[in-house]
Amino acid sequence: MITHREDGYELSTDPDRVDIDLVHHWLSTDAFWALGRSRETVERSIRASLNFGLYDAGGAQVAYARVVTDLVTFAWLCDVYVDPAHRGKGLGTWLATAVRDHLAPYKVKRVLLSTLDAHEVYAKAGFVPFPDPQHLMVLTPAH
């Protein structure tokens, strides 16, 4: 899937177009949830996910998001990152909306995400707070 905006930005789901080194740099050095994540982990996660890359008019990658999903019952939107030089242009909301629209034909029952400070970005794409967070649990295996 490729989509364009009038301002020259392009969204693509082609995983071969993702700049793995750049995404690794963003996540491992500037994303609080992924600080220190290894390049191998980033590459493996990209290969096992549905990927959404945003590119400027010159073709340089400026944002990224990935979805972990079975395309039937569940999807997890994660690793959403917009390069600081391109923030404030609605790209995060465009990414979240593209994910929503891409998953719609599959009728996935639930799409979840976790955010510390970007609730308004995702709300514009239709995301709402989880109604019963006390029902969620997490398993953090020892490494």
Side-chain angles (χ1 to χ4, degrees):
M1 171 183 90
I2 297 177
T3 305
H4 296 88
R5 283 194 349 179
E6 289 183 14
D7 57 5
Y9 286 103
E10 178 179 86
L11 183 143
S12 172
T13 56
D14 181 355
D16 293 328
R17 211 169 153 194
V18 174
D19 184 336
I20 295 171
D21 290 327
L22 179 60
V23 171
H24 170 251
H25 173 74
W26 285 338
L27 297 178
S28 67
T29 65
D30 192 40
F32 69 87
W33 66 90
L35 293 175
R37 187 179 289 175
S38 74
R39 187 193 184 285
E40 177 188 6
T41 297
V42 170
E43 183 173 7
R44 287 176 59 205
S45 69
I46 287 170
R47 297 293 172 221
S49 300
L50 177 58
N51 297 276
F52 294 79
L54 285 184
Y55 306 88
D56 67 14
Q61 188 165 356
V62 299
Y64 175 75
R66 69 185 182 93
V67 177
V68 180
T69 184
D70 60 11
L71 292 176
V72 179
T73 62
F74 182 77
W76 178 262
L77 173 58
C78 56
D79 290 342
V80 179
Y81 188 90
V82 177
D83 185 285
H86 295 268
R87 291 180 186 164
K89 300 176 182 181
L91 297 178
T93 298
W94 189 31
L95 271 171
T97 302
V99 166
R100 180 199 67 202
D101 294 349
H102 188 87
L103 294 174
Y106 299 100
K107 298 182 170 114
V108 174
K109 181 179 179 179
R110 182 169 286 137
V111 181
L112 293 181
L113 64 83
S114 177
T115 184
L116 182 66
D117 58 0
H119 295 79
E120 70 285 348
V121 169
Y122 300 108
K124 291 175 185 173
F127 286 85
V128 297
F130 197 82
D132 300 304
Q134 69 277 10
H135 293 173
L136 292 175
M137 296 182 72
V138 65
L139 172 65
T140 306
H143 295 277

